[in-house]
Amino acid sequence: MEQYVTESDVRRIAEYARIGLTEEEVASMTVDLNSVIETLKPITEYNLEGVEPTFHPIGSLSNVMREDVEGESFTQEEALANAPAAQDGCFLIPSILGEGGDK
């Protein structure tokens, strides 16, 4: 199998993505990435001259979202009914910043 990506490349990519890899993982990832590239190699054999690039499989479709229509919603009591904790009509969640404790 041809080598498209080296272990050095994998280390640089991992560092850029802030992913810690062991030497064994670097070696394994190098083999895996080269295998993926080798699998996709037949795509390069297609004659794509004159084919315009598309950014959506359905061509010029620009908005695939439905209309935002207001509907029925929960009451505050219904929304809080299954909450593990509530206080003053709000969800009570553990603090993740500051001095700790529930906020």
Side-chain angles (χ1 to χ4, degrees), residues 2 4 37-49 51:
E2 193 172 337
Y4 303 96
I37 293 170
E38 186 69 29
T39 301
L40 296 173
K41 191 174 180 181
I43 292 174
T44 63
E45 297 172 7
Y46 291 107
N47 179 9
L48 300 177
E49 190 163 331
V51 176

Side-chain angles (χ1 to χ4, degrees), residues 63-102:
N63 187 0
V64 295
M65 307 298 271
R66 66 173 170 78
E67 290 294 319
D68 189 13
V69 179
E70 186 176 331
E72 291 186 39
S73 62
F74 296 112
T75 65
Q76 187 173 11
E77 292 78 24
E78 290 172 325
L80 294 172
N82 291 322
Q87 179 180 348
D88 300 325
C90 299
F91 292 100
L92 186 63
I93 60 170
S95 176
I96 59 169
L97 301 174
E99 298 176 14
D102 292 333

Side-chain angles (χ1 to χ4, degrees), residues 47-64:
N47 179 9
L48 300 177
E49 190 163 331
V51 176
E52 291 292 320
T54 60
F55 297 96
H56 194 281
I58 306 179
S60 64
L61 185 61
S62 62
N63 187 0
V64 295

